[in-house]
Amino acid sequence: MTARATRRVLLGRLPGLAAVIAIATSLAPACSLGSGTGIVEGTIDAPGCWSGGFNLYPDFFAAVPTTTNTPVTSLSGEPGSDAMQLRIQNGGDFESFSDGLAILIDDAGEVRGDPLNGVPRPSLLGQPLVVGLSPSVVPAGVPIMSETNPSIVHATLYLQKTCRTQNVALYALSAVTFEPDGTCNRPDGGDVPLPCPGSAATADAGASAGVDASVGADASADADASAGADASAGVDAGTGGSGPVPTIGVSTMTFYSLFDGNPDESNAQQRLTDATFDLYLADPREVCPGGVGPPPRCQGHLTGYFNFYFERGSPAQPFQ
């Protein structure tokens, strides 16, 4: 499959936001159960399924590289490393029967700092990377906008085991709108309406909320690594009451090591994937008409880490 065709498979299903784990099932099934540790915990608000504290208790760690020994074209359209999908999951069952965190890296070589066409690239290891949707993945009725520095890391929380009959997925976004208290916790009286341009909420509460259309659009479209680092450090609910109440949350992930994508790799350090994350989850469809206004309301906040070695073998799933 060509890289262009692969990108259509990976991202073409997501605009409708109907397939919870499109990024997981569209990559080659070359993963196996790797030995490792990790924590995925926080709070989520999935209407009709789960509301409150959440802990994934992951015990399944997998990496699915799409590189070959002689990579031709990456998903970014340039020669070099290709995409990599990570699965941090509870249990080794199929995704459609499990809870887990699916992470897609557009170009693992860019994160690692692997040379491109013989030209060195700076490593992004140790730097907070903004996590968000691809610029081409937008809800119906929202125009596709160009971004100067689009996110190259994407993450989805799927809850197929917990939510059973519901097709529930929450996406890590580059910007979400907090509740009035500066957290992702839904108020007892229900959500406060987003201050969409021209709405009564904007007229009554726009100034006090501190979120206008331009701020929301800029935060969602132009969040970069430095902004992510600042936001993740300053938007935690536990600000101790000092300073202004934050209104926007930015998802970030920091890799300290990343598997090089070679299934035959013998060097243990090159097979290691080690990362921490601070993710703000939401439903991208819940925006103002046309996508103009503040980013979607936060429906979850997860923090944690994962550390595991790639181990080549048969997929660690039943029914083989």
Side-chain angles (χ1 to χ4, degrees):
M1 179 181 291
T2 65
R4 181 171 296 179
T6 302
R7 186 175 182 84
R8 285 199 297 268
V9 172
L10 289 172
L11 300 178
R13 304 178 187 180
L14 290 178
L17 300 173
V20 173
I21 48 173
I23 59 176
T25 58
S26 58
L27 291 171
C31 66
S32 63
L33 178 60
S35 59
T37 60
I39 292 176
V40 180
E41 62 183 4
T43 60
I44 58 174
D45 182 13
C49 173
W50 189 280
S51 181
F54 177 82
N55 195 323
L56 181 63
Y57 295 110
D59 54 10
F60 178 98
F61 304 89
V64 188
T66 59
T67 46
T68 64
N69 292 331
T70 55
V72 178
T73 306
S74 67
L75 290 183
S76 61
E78 299 179 333
S81 298
D82 216 335
M84 181 179 297
Q85 191 250 331
L86 309 176
R87 279 174 56 199
I88 315 302
Q89 185 174 291
N90 179 278
D93 207 341
F94 292 107
E95 298 97 327
S96 54
F97 300 104
S98 303
D99 295 343
L101 186 67
I103 301 165
L104 176 64
I105 306 168
D106 286 343
D107 190 342
E110 183 176 354
V111 176
R112 288 169 47 86
D114 295 339
L116 179 64
N117 290 335
V119 179
R121 289 190 288 183
S123 171
L124 299 180
L125 296 176
Q127 300 182 30
L129 305 178
V130 172
V131 181
L133 294 178
S134 167
S136 61
V137 180
V138 296
V142 176
I144 296 177
M145 306 293 290
S146 62
E147 295 185 20
T148 304
N149 297 304
S151 301
I152 63 172
V153 181
H154 321 285
T156 304
L157 176 70
Y158 53 95
L159 300 172
Q160 299 301 84
K161 180 179 180 180
T162 296
C163 298
R164 302 286 182 173
T165 58
Q166 298 186 67
N167 190 20
V168 173
L170 294 175
Y171 298 82
L173 301 185
S174 57
V176 298
T177 298
F178 286 141
E179 298 292 351
D181 63 354
T183 72
C184 296
N185 303 323
R186 180 186 298 185
D188 293 337
D191 289 328
V192 177
L194 284 176
C196 297
S199 68
T202 301
D204 296 338
S208 61
V211 181
D212 60 20
S214 61
V215 171
D218 292 344
S220 177
D222 298 323
D224 58 15
S226 61
D230 294 341
S232 62
V235 300
D236 186 6
T239 55
S242 61
V245 176
T247 58
I248 299 293
V250 179
S251 299
T252 61
M253 185 171 296
T254 304
F255 288 93
Y256 300 97
S257 182
L258 183 60
F259 170 47
D260 66 3
N262 179 10
D264 299 316
E265 181 61 67
S266 60
N267 186 323
Q269 184 60 38
Q270 298 302 318
R271 292 188 288 111
L272 175 65
T273 295
D274 181 19
T276 60
F277 57 85
D278 187 356
L279 304 179
Y280 292 95
L281 310 175
D283 184 339
R285 298 169 297 182
E286 297 185 358
V287 293
C288 297
V292 178
R297 187 176 307 285
C298 183
Q299 290 184 242
H301 181 206
L302 297 178
T303 60
Y305 75 93
F306 48 88
N307 181 300
F308 68 96
Y309 290 91
F310 174 84
E311 296 181 10
R312 186 171 187 173
S314 300
Q317 298 196 357
F319 317 120
Q320 296 298 311

